[in-house]
Every structure is written in structure tokens, then in C-alpha cells.
Amino acid sequence: MLNIALPKGRLGEKVYDMLERAGYSCDAIKENGRKLIFENPDLGVRYFWVKPSDVSIYVERGAADIGIAGKDILLEYTPDVYELLDLNIGKCRLAVAALCGFRDDGKKTLKVATKFVNVASKHYSSVSRDIDIIKLNGSIELAPILGLSDVIVDIVETGTTLKENNLEVIEDIVPVSARLIANKASFKFKTAEIEKLVDGVRSQIK
Ligand code: PRP
């Protein structure tokens, strides 16, 4: 049985559709309900829905053989897993944003609000800029509006959230997309099954 961690939400649904088209269907998963785990014993797959930021934890620790995680999560948590495929979906970017018109004059410590503390720290240390990190868990865009921070480091997809809150990107950090990842031991012991699935999914990438 291959254990597959899917990121709960819109991205996970798109990913499941790719897996279904690749020959790994599990009809019960489409029923609306609160169930989190589904299996198709005939095809040898067991799917479970996890919080997107937890996928790499399940995979790194072997509770899942494979999973789908955003590159943002992989950059932030640097899990010890194999990154096997870029699925070319869930495309967005990690960027620095601030209130429209804000300019960093570099004179005082920059206050940075973010969920991505490691990505933000690495980015600013690469340009030797002193920062004070404020770790938030959501609605990051509020921070500069309320004076909690000077800038934010966050995901930008359509740019709508920034626009509707009078914020703008001041610097791109890195492009992001969904990646298929595998547990290292699973890859060693279930190589054939995993490679077959990877080939199937690869054929569905647009
Ligand atoms: C993410 C991100 C931005 C928004 C960007 O938030 O943190 O707020 O999406 O998308 P956009 O550019 O298309 O507007 P999410 O919905 O994950 O909620 P969060 O506030 O909990 O981070």
C-alpha cells in the first residue's frame, strides 16, 4: 500500500484529480464529509488529507510514503525528503510587501511579519539587512496596516489580497509551485511502486 498525504483544500483537490487521471482513483474521496482517510486496496493506495503545512512532516517521518507540498513549505522547513516532481500547479511566489509607497531607507532595524521565518531570515541575511521577525500564523497583511511591522514576507498568488489592503510587492523572493515529495526509506523499499506513480503523474503535468 502506498500512503499518500494530500494537502487539504483547493490545491489538494487539483492534485487528487491528477492522481486520478494517472490511474490512482479512490472514488470515496469525492464524497463530501469529514472523513480524512480513504483507500483503494485494488490499486494499492491510501490517501489522507492533512494541513498543507504538515505534509512534509508526515512524509519526512514516514507516516506517508509520498505527499504533495508547496515549495514554500519545503524552503521553510527543509524536510529531509526527496523532491521528485514539480507539478506545475499551485503556482505563486514568496515576496516582500509593504504599504503602497513604503521605502526601506535601511537606517533602522526592519520589522518583518511572516509565517515564513526561515525564508525571511535567510533572505535578509543574504543582503546583510538587520531585521526583527514577528511570527504570525495568518492574515499577515494586517501587520503593516496596524503598524505591527514595516513589511511582510508572504505568498502572493493573484495579488488581490495585497491590492485590497493597499499593499504592494516591493521585492520577489522565489517562485513557488506544488512538488511531489517522497520519504527516503519508502523510496528505497517501494521504488517500483513510487516510480510507477511518478511516471503516471508526470504524464499529467501540463
Ligand atoms: C494566502 C497568503 C495571502 C493570500 C495571497 O493566504 O497568505 O494572504 O493567500 O493570495 P492572493 O495573492 O491571490 O490574494 P491564505 O488564504 O492561505 O490565508 P492566511 O491569511 O491564513 O495565510
Side-chain angles (χ1 to χ4, degrees), residues 115 137-139 141 154-161:
K115 273 195 257 195
N137 298 298
S139 302
E141 292 83 358
D154 200 13
I155 291 291
V156 179
E157 190 180 351
T158 60
T160 310
T161 312

Side-chain angles (χ1 to χ4, degrees), residues 37-191:
I37 183 158
F38 300 89
E39 61 182 60
N40 185 336
D42 298 336
L43 295 173
V45 284
R46 181 189 291 130
Y47 291 108
F48 36 94
W49 293 115
V50 310
K51 199 175 149 106
S53 53
D54 289 341
V55 167
S56 66
I57 300 173
Y58 282 82
V59 175
E60 182 176 34
R61 291 179 173 267
D65 299 305
I66 60 175
I68 291 81
K71 185 69 182 176
D72 52 332
I73 301 297
L74 302 178
L75 290 169
E76 180 62 20
Y77 298 107
T78 57
D80 187 19
V81 297
Y82 292 131
E83 190 182 311
L84 300 178
L85 269 184
D86 180 345
L87 301 183
N88 203 32
I89 57 173
K91 289 172 95 169
C92 52
R93 56 195 164 131
L94 275 163
V96 182
L99 284 176
C100 291
F102 172 85
R103 294 288 171 267
D104 177 13
D105 60 15
K107 285 184 184 150
K108 58 178 178 49
T109 302
L110 190 71
K111 287 189 282 177
V112 182
T114 188
K115 273 195 257 195
F116 300 94
V117 297
N118 294 322
V119 170
S121 302
K122 204 169 159 198
H123 172 69
Y124 282 106
S125 83
S126 75
V127 291
S128 305
R129 180 73 176 97
D130 264 351
I131 59 164
D132 175 14
I133 290 257
I134 302 157
K135 163 89 163 91
L136 295 177
N137 298 298
S139 302
I140 318 293
E141 292 83 358
L142 272 176
I145 299 172
L146 299 177
L148 179 64
S149 73
D150 301 308
V151 301
I152 61 174
V153 167
D154 200 13
I155 291 291
V156 179
E157 190 180 351
T158 60
T160 310
T161 312
L162 293 181
K163 202 166 168 207
E164 293 196 358
N165 290 289
N166 192 35
L167 299 164
E168 63 185 1
V169 169
I170 54 175
E171 206 180 348
D172 281 324
I173 299 180
V174 67
V176 167
S177 57
R179 308 297 163 100
L180 193 139
I181 58 174
N183 173 268
K184 289 188 166 177
S186 301
F187 192 73
K188 191 167 169 191
F189 295 111
K190 301 184 182 178
T191 317

